[in-house]
Amino acid sequence: MGEHYYSKNPQVSSAPKEWKAEIRNKVFTFTTDAGVFSKSGIDEGSKLLAETFKEPDVRGDLLEIGCGYGPIALSIASAFPDRIIHMVDVNERALTLSKQNAEKNNIQNVKVYESSGVEQVESDHFAAVLTNPPIRAGKQTVFSFYKGAYEKLISGGELWVVIQKKQGAPSTVEYLQDLFGNVETVAKKKGYFILLAKKVDSRI
């Protein structure tokens, strides 16, 4: 597999660009760069996940696995200022951009740090985990995101996933059903599925 946005240190030359996007009825300014996911604008799946997400009923921080330059987590952090959003990614360039974009949009209720999946995430008391998983990294990596999310959620916590049908939505639904004991499709748009699974007991 060639280099892609799930690489730790993208070797492609830096070429930053700035643009605006409206998410959850608010306009954000983002800087992106070569070597990060969806560098030219917010992708349809990320926007759908950000706008479909609803605040969980349980208290606790939120976590986005694979935050990229930050559009999902930052828009949700802006919408729910009383929640702390942990933003993790393996891509160092993406993490730098997330920190810059948080400052640029005056969003302070976030923690941005490196983690391969949830390996470096110390807390295991999250009320919700969100992910637009890196499909090109392979099914094993994607499923490790789901399992890691389950382990980091408190009872009543929720996992929110966006995935395209052609990129493995059916197998994700099957895996989440086995892992959580439940999964529902809460939105569909342009081939993207927003899936929601709730942690109801200690199954693993």
Side-chain angles (χ1 to χ4, degrees), residues 64-196:
E64 184 186 3
I65 309 174
C67 65
Y69 61 87
I72 297 173
L74 292 177
S75 60
I76 289 173
S78 179
F80 304 109
D82 292 335
R83 300 270 188 169
I84 301 296
I85 318 295
H86 293 236
M87 302 169 60
V88 302
D89 204 295
V90 73
N91 184 321
E92 292 183 350
R93 188 174 292 178
L95 292 170
T96 297
L97 290 167
S98 279
K99 293 174 183 177
Q100 293 174 353
N101 289 328
E103 293 179 3
K104 189 187 302 287
N105 292 282
N106 194 30
I107 298 169
Q108 300 178 341
N109 56 317
V110 294
K111 297 181 179 180
V112 183
Y113 52 98
E114 181 182 347
S115 180
S116 177
V118 300
E119 287 180 9
Q120 287 77 46
V121 178
E122 294 183 358
S123 174
D124 56 1
H125 293 84
F126 289 100
V129 177
L130 302 96
T131 189
N132 182 352
I135 301 301
R136 291 174 61 185
K139 183 178 288 189
Q140 183 176 352
T141 295
V142 171
F143 282 9
S144 76
F145 277 28
Y146 304 154
K147 188 171 188 295
Y150 182 90
E151 294 168 350
K152 294 296 182 181
L153 286 167
I154 61 173
S155 179
E158 301 171 346
L159 171 63
W160 291 73
V161 178
V162 60
I163 191 167
Q164 286 184 286
K165 183 175 182 179
K166 65 182 181 181
Q167 292 182 332
S171 62
T172 281
V173 168
E174 182 178 355
Y175 184 85
L176 293 180
Q177 180 65 45
D178 288 343
L179 182 61
F180 284 82
N182 66 89
V183 61
E184 63 176 306
T185 301
V186 294
K188 295 180 187 178
K189 185 177 181 181
K190 297 182 179 178
Y192 289 96
F193 287 61
I194 304 297
L195 305 175
L196 170 61

